[in-house]
Amino acid sequence: MFDYAVECKDVSKQYGTLRALRGVTINIEIGDIVAVSGHNGAGKSTFLKIVGTHISSSSGNVKVLGNDTTKDRSKVRRDIGFLGHTSFMYDELTVEENLRFYGVMFSIERPTLDKRIEEVIEYVNLERYRHTAAKKLSHGLRKRADIARVFIHSPKVLILDEPFSGLDEKSIKLLIDGFKSQIGKITMLISSHSFEMMNSVFNRTLMFSEGKILKNDRVA
């Protein structure tokens, strides 16, 4: 049994002589929508990558929904959706083919997967591009396709590192409206420079500085 969506205890990350994270301890409650902020190099992306199992910490312990991100990595990855700075769409596959590939990877049965593909394509407004190869998409369209990918298996914890980068204002509003529809259903950690557009979404803010959490505030 677990009490928190994310538990981090004394987590540090060292790259040679660079200390990207310094003894971070934090618990994220189930259902929290968290704004992760900080200047470039503050440690926020490193923190999100560790929680998302894309890199390992140098020391400390991280659990997602009670599963250790190092010992139970495969279990953690079934519960999370992770969007970083690198696209995970396969260039030669169409948007729909990519989504189907990832759905099969998560062992989603065909009838359910067909429905999920329709839902996530509608969610990111990519109906016109569903049969377009990923390599032919603009940066903004590809980002929207990657966002559809992270939703395909109905994750319980969503980790988004700069999800609005390269998107126009209309696309950003579309996604924010979608995030609002997930309030109370999913835990989200979001790093962004567009927080002014998302004030109505977040209920908690974490500010990183020099590899430590400088502020941890809950929004009233």
Side-chain angles (χ1 to χ4, degrees):
M1 190 63 183
F2 50 88
D3 297 317
Y4 298 100
V6 177
E7 302 172 71
C8 298
K9 185 176 181 181
D10 200 24
V11 175
S12 295
K13 181 64 178 179
Q14 191 101 6
Y15 296 101
T17 58
L18 174 64
R19 295 183 66 189
L21 285 184
R22 303 166 182 256
V24 171
T25 296
I26 187 74
N27 292 327
I28 307 297
E29 295 184 8
I30 296 169
D32 273 353
I33 312 295
V34 185
V36 182
S37 65
H39 58 79
N40 290 338
K44 57 186 185 297
S45 289
T46 299
F47 168 73
L48 293 178
K49 287 178 181 178
I50 289 173
V51 175
T53 75
H54 281 255
I55 61 175
S56 298
S57 62
S58 300
S59 61
N61 179 261
V62 181
K63 291 183 179 181
V64 175
L65 298 176
N67 293 311
D68 189 286
T69 56
T70 300
K71 299 176 182 177
D72 305 311
R73 183 166 294 187
S74 61
K75 291 181 180 179
V76 172
R77 288 183 172 177
R78 300 189 81 82
D79 285 330
I80 65 173
F82 181 89
L83 177 70
H85 297 283
T86 302
S87 172
F88 284 87
M89 305 296 284
Y90 289 93
D91 284 344
E92 302 300 325
L93 299 182
T94 67
V95 171
E96 183 174 335
E97 288 169 342
N98 267 286
L99 295 175
R100 192 166 297 281
F101 168 80
Y102 281 105
V104 170
M105 188 176 74
F106 282 105
S107 303
I108 304 174
E109 295 183 359
R110 180 64 181 267
T112 302
L113 179 55
D114 289 342
K115 181 180 179 182
R116 284 299 296 160
I117 289 172
E118 296 304 318
E119 289 173 346
V120 297
I121 284 179
E122 180 180 357
Y123 174 65
V124 297
N125 193 23
L126 279 180
E127 179 60 41
R128 285 179 56 196
Y129 303 96
R130 67 187 301 153
H131 300 303
T132 301
K135 66 180 179 181
K136 295 183 178 180
L137 298 174
S138 68
H139 174 78
L141 291 173
R142 188 168 180 133
K143 177 61 72 73
R144 282 157 58 183
D146 264 306
I147 292 171
R149 170 188 60 79
V150 302
F151 273 103
I152 194 66
H153 62 296
S154 302
K156 298 173 184 175
V157 177
L158 195 62
I159 303 166
L160 305 175
D161 193 4
E162 299 292 345
F164 307 129
S165 174
L167 298 184
D168 57 38
E169 189 170 327
K170 182 178 180 181
S171 296
I172 292 174
K173 185 179 184 304
L174 175 76
L175 292 175
I176 290 174
D177 288 343
F179 293 155
K180 288 179 180 178
S181 71
Q182 299 300 312
I183 291 175
K185 303 176 184 177
I186 192 171
T187 303
M188 288 190 265
L189 289 81
I190 306 174
S191 164
S192 176
H193 292 294
S194 304
F195 284 147
E196 66 278 1
M197 299 182 66
M198 295 189 65
N199 288 335
S200 60
V201 178
F202 297 120
N203 69 340
R204 188 173 182 181
T205 60
L206 296 180
M207 179 180 289
F208 280 79
S209 180
E210 308 300 331
K212 297 181 179 181
I213 295 177
L214 185 64
K215 290 184 180 180
N216 175 15
D217 296 329
R218 188 164 293 279
V219 178

